[in-house]
């Protein structure tokens, strides 16, 4: 099993598509449905044996939840806050470009 490169509260962006978000959960390997996985075109389908990240995501038009493989993420160093409406429910911040889980959500 691979160790996750990114952490909860980190702001990341997609390597190919124009969206970014804050990580709120990590699966050590693919943990979504087979139907979801097969819906990704085969030529861009990521391998399952890598961490997958749950993001409070945003693009120019909307905010949503995204599920993204590690190979498709890069750190977002813009320091711009994430505008997703659920950020304030889970996190404090941003501080120095990252978010910190609120006490009630920490393990």
């Amino acid at each position: 099993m691979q160790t996750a490169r990114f952490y909860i509260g980190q702001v990341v962006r997609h390597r190919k598509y124009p969206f970014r978000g804050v990580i709120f959960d990590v699966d050590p390997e693919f943990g979504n449905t087979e139907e979801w996985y097969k819906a990704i075109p085969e030529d861009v389908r990521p391998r399952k044996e890598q961490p997958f990240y749950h993001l409070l995501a945003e693009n120019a038009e909307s905010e949503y939840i995204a599920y993204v493989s590690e190979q498709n993420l890069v750190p977002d160093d813009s320091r711009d806050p994430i505008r997703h409406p659920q950020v304030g429910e889970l996190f404090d911040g941003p501080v120095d470009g990252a978010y910190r889980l609120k006490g009630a959500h920490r393990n």
Side-chain angles (χ1 to χ4, degrees):
M1 193 176 307
Q2 183 178 332
T3 301
R5 225 174 80 203
F6 304 109
Y7 57 89
I8 292 175
Q10 186 174 5
V11 179
V12 293
R13 63 181 173 82
H14 197 279
R15 185 179 300 278
K16 298 177 184 177
Y17 300 110
F19 72 87
R20 60 194 288 268
V22 59
I23 297 168
F24 70 91
D25 197 11
V26 182
D27 292 341
E29 291 187 342
F30 179 78
N32 209 329
T33 66
E34 194 62 23
E35 179 182 22
W36 184 92
Y37 187 73
K38 294 290 186 187
I40 300 169
E42 195 170 344
D43 61 327
V44 294
R45 191 178 298 154
R47 67 187 193 288
K48 289 182 177 181
E49 301 78 20
Q50 65 179 312
F52 277 73
Y53 299 83
H54 300 261
L55 308 178
L56 297 176
E58 64 186 31
N59 61 27
E61 294 83 37
S62 66
E63 298 83 32
Y64 52 94
I65 304 285
Y67 190 65
V68 186
S69 64
E70 186 169 273
Q71 74 187 57
N72 284 318
L73 291 176
V74 294
D76 180 84
D77 299 323
S78 70
R79 295 189 175 258
D80 294 333
I82 299 293
R83 67 176 190 273
H84 193 288
Q86 290 178 283
V87 167
E89 294 172 26
L90 296 176
F91 295 101
D92 290 321
V95 175
D96 295 328
Y99 291 83
R100 182 178 168 101
L101 275 175
K102 291 187 175 191
H105 300 288
R106 288 189 210 144
N107 290 340

